Amino acid sequence: MGDKAEIRPMNEKYWDLVSANYEKEITSVFFRDKEGLVRERINAGRKLGASVRAADLGCGVGNFVPLLSETFGHVDACDWSEVGLNQARENCISFENTKFHKINLCNDRLPFDLVDFALCVNVLIMPDLGDRLLAWRAVTNQVKGAGTLLLVVPSHESAQMELYNGLEQCLSDGESCSDSIIATQHAEADSSDLQLGVYSVNGTRTKHYLKQELRMMLASHQFEVLEITRIVYPKDVENPVSDSWDWMVVAKRRLS
Ligand SMILES: C[S@@+](CC[C@H](N)C(=O)[O-])C[C@H]1O[C@@H](n2cnc3c(N)ncnc32)[C@H](O)[C@@H]1O
């Protein structure tokens, strides 16, 4: 918030750079989900049986893939970044039931069968609406009828609360109203970005979702929402103003 930063476009080169320095660049759900909510929901998939096919759509460096490989009969993991995929392959070298694919969710046909369980963690965050809708279609179409989608996305409500908490802090430090607004506003976002929940995260325009927007998106992609829960990240050095959260959604594809 506040100062103008250089905007980094969210393209293939960006994701290769991020993947090369993943721990530093990404506030990873894998490490920050202290309650293990995502792991718990993946584990719950065990009851679906050993023959089940799963996918990690946008697997990054593959942090969640070993858990999927241990839980499900066959796993397809895909990502746009070859750098991320190379690390993911190394992470999963011992799993013969796991295949990796380089794909752009906004352009490519997914080169593997539909799955019973799809994981998609902080991938549907592209700032461009057209690209995002293509990626939503690719992700949701990859799930079989009655299959499960476990989705994690940044929360718009959380980003707004961070702003209000920052404002409150400035005012209680004795700043004027106008200085407090300037200090806390998202300087690099235009008004349509703000309306659509696109905020800069480390200099990259990133889509954030409202809880109700997720319900609407999932309904329009023929999914029944079973659960929407906050994955809460307590305030820390990186996130000093207030607790923040992502939305974790469990949804079931309707039988058509
Ligand atoms: C924030 S990272 C999350 C990675 C992983 N899901 C995790 O939780 O560790 C987002 C990932 O989505 C991938 N991604 C972004 N846009 C994509 C696209 N259009 N097609 C495929 N993967 C994409 C990136 O390469 C990156 O690895």
Side-chain angles (χ1 to χ4, degrees):
M1 279 183 277
D3 49 326
K4 279 215 184 260
E6 192 194 330
I7 294 292
R8 299 191 294 172
M10 200 184 268
N11 52 22
E12 183 178 356
K13 188 171 160 211
Y14 166 80
W15 285 116
D16 276 342
L17 286 171
V18 165
S19 301
N21 206 1
Y22 192 81
E23 305 309 331
K24 197 162 161 263
E25 290 271 357
I26 294 287
T27 19
S28 167
V29 177
F30 183 79
F31 295 111
R32 297 191 75 209
D33 172 18
K34 299 289 183 208
E35 288 182 63
L37 298 178
V38 176
R39 287 183 190 78
E40 198 179 297
R41 299 312 181 277
I42 295 174
N43 270 321
R46 283 185 203 278
K47 67 175 185 289
L48 298 173
S51 62
V52 160
R53 295 187 75 95
D56 190 345
L57 304 172
C59 64
V61 297
N63 286 331
F64 283 107
V65 180
L67 183 55
L68 292 173
S69 307
E70 284 163 8
T71 307
F72 299 102
H74 181 87
V75 176
D76 287 292
C78 61
D79 202 278
W80 200 3
S81 165
E82 195 63 58
V83 176
L85 282 170
N86 283 338
Q87 289 187 52
R89 282 188 193 99
E90 270 179 41
N91 264 352
C92 300
I93 206 132
S94 56
F95 294 104
E96 284 179 9
N97 65 344
T98 304
K99 290 209 172 78
F100 291 91
H101 314 265
K102 176 171 161 49
I103 55 104
N104 176 358
L105 287 167
C106 305
N107 267 338
D108 303 330
R109 226 189 118 258
L110 272 65
F112 50 89
D113 289 345
L114 303 191
V115 296
D116 308 277
F117 185 98
L119 176 70
C120 185
V121 178
N122 280 344
V123 176
L124 297 176
I125 57 176
M126 31 301 261
D128 180 84
L129 178 61
D131 284 347
R132 196 162 65 243
L133 292 176
L134 288 169
W136 263 90
R137 187 56 69 197
V139 165
T140 52
N141 273 350
Q142 202 57 27
V143 181
K144 286 182 191 167
T148 301
L149 173 63
L150 176 49
L151 182 69
V152 178
V153 288
S155 158
H156 190 161
E157 293 90 335
S158 175
Q160 280 295 114
M161 283 316 299
E162 196 181 327
L163 189 149
Y164 291 130
N165 282 313
L167 194 63
E168 185 72 19
Q169 185 69 55
C170 287
L171 292 170
S172 65
D173 288 347
E175 304 272 357
S176 68
C177 289
S178 54
D179 285 349
S180 300
I181 290 170
I182 290 167
T184 51
Q185 73 192 0
H186 291 270
E188 55 285 330
D190 62 26
S191 63
S192 85
D193 271 359
L194 295 179
Q195 281 163 16
L196 293 175
V198 176
Y199 296 96
S200 165
V201 176
N202 299 330
T204 304
R205 291 167 65 239
T206 304
K207 167 66 179 165
H208 293 60
Y209 291 85
L210 295 171
K211 186 177 188 177
Q212 213 44 36
E213 177 187 8
L214 286 167
R215 287 194 183 283
M216 189 191 74
M217 288 298 284
L218 285 155
S220 71
H221 288 81
Q222 278 73 53
F223 276 77
E224 178 194 350
V225 173
L226 304 180
E227 176 189 1
I228 304 190
T229 309
R230 294 175 187 206
I231 304 178
V232 178
Y233 311 120
K235 63 179 166 192
D236 57 17
V237 189
E238 239 177 72
N239 177 34
V241 180
S242 54
D243 291 357
S244 62
W245 71 90
D246 282 338
W247 291 121
M248 181 185 77
V249 186
V250 182
K252 184 174 166 179
R253 185 158 189 183
R254 295 185 194 284
L255 289 164
S256 47

